[in-house]
Amino acid sequence: MRKVYLDYNATTPIHPEVATYTLPFLHELYGNPSSMHWAGREVRPYIDQARECIADMIHAHPEEIVFTSCGTESDNHAIKGVAYSRRDKGNHIITTRVEHPGVLNTCAYLEKRGFEVTYLPVDSYGVVAPDAVRKAIRKDTILISVMHANNETGTLMPIEAIGAIARDAGVLFHSDMVQALGKIPIDVNKMQVDLAAFSGHKVYAPKGVGILYMREGVDIDNLIHGGHQEAGRRAGTENLLGIAAFGKACEAMHREMAEERPRLERLRKKLLDGIMARIEDVQLNGHPEFRLPNTLNLSFGFVESESLLIGLDLAGIAVSAGSACSSGSPEPSHVLLSMGIRPEVCQSALRISLGRDTSEEDIDYVLDVLPEVVGRLRSMSPFYTKK
Ligand code: PLP
């Protein structure tokens, strides 16, 4: 059976250059980067080099990059770190209703410990208004956290405008940039973010490595306490293989982005146009233009997304119903609900996310299979009448 992977927002395969580059870390390069002897000295430059590659990609200084275990840890570190270190200045945090659980559940945790959180609404495209952020700022606001690109819809937030508002007000600004990295250019200076979260496995590096960007001079509490790794900001022996891989993946993504971005946009357009031409009653969720180049979120009327997902899986096509973190949950997506989409329309939503191995033939195959699967499911629905 043909296998087509279209769930790149959930995770990505390892980039071939990354696999070759990191193989020695499974064999001869095993030293602890903190060791002073030859085995430690041998591996330390790989960490330094990875830090430089990543800093280069997001226009940061290498010293502003802190390696963590994943995007979720980076979100936790940023938000709890600001909350606990700024308690004397205030206890108010601003975020949006469409954030990843890594942000939303961290905020919920802090609410139970006396912090106040404002969850800003979004418009029907999933975009928060910069003016709403400005108006929500109070004397006791210590942090604004707004994601760059939404993992479910691909909609982009007006990060530069929000960054300018935060800077003007003297409030720290954190952005979950996990889905944006490698897909669109990021400049932490232009965007005026103080803290940003990234994850290796979304950019063709292995799972288990993340980054927290911490602007120089931004001093926050640590999340993990222990040794003096990462200049005392994140304890624990470095994930050498993961870090080296993350650096190599960023180097490759940085080089490939100029060609890969328009290629993905073209394939996504072909897929969207093809679906709209072949299947009736389909709704595009998220912003039509201000979005990631690789992501489509579509609701298929009279079809349950779980059934659609299974039908496509049987034909070898891997897609997602909403986000990977919430799939398996019977609740409609909090992101789509916040956009004012009716619960039954949310429950018929499918996320299709393309990546560097997606080919023209993959799209043709989906366009062959999908109308048939949707048609079969609709024929079983008592509510569906063919137009
Ligand atoms: N933030 C966003 C927007 C994501 O899409 C994800 C993963 O799906 C995360 C955070 C969490 O990253 P990780 O899987 O590395 O913990």
Side-chain angles (χ1 to χ4, degrees), residues 70-72 75 100 147 151 176 178-179 199 201-202:
C70 60
T72 303
D75 282 334
H100 186 271
M147 74 197 317
N151 44 306
D176 178 331
V178 166
Q179 289 294 345
S199 173
H201 74 102
K202 311 286 186 184

Side-chain angles (χ1 to χ4, degrees), residues 9-11 69-75 99-103 147-152 176-180 197-202 207-210 323-325 351:
N9 284 13
T11 198
S69 70
C70 60
T72 303
E73 181 190 323
S74 304
D75 282 334
E99 300 294 315
H100 186 271
V103 168
M147 74 197 317
H148 190 182
N150 190 273
N151 44 306
E152 293 188 32
D176 178 331
M177 297 193 160
V178 166
Q179 289 294 345
F198 302 97
S199 173
H201 74 102
K202 311 286 186 184
K207 290 146 192 75
V209 61
S323 74
C325 296
R351 180 184 70 183

Side-chain angles (χ1 to χ4, degrees), residues 89-94 136-144 170-172:
K89 297 197 169 66
N91 72 342
H92 180 234
I93 295 168
I94 298 169
I137 297 174
R138 315 190 313 210
K139 268 206 173 73
D140 59 348
T141 304
I142 49 173
L143 178 70
I144 296 168
V171 176
L172 287 175

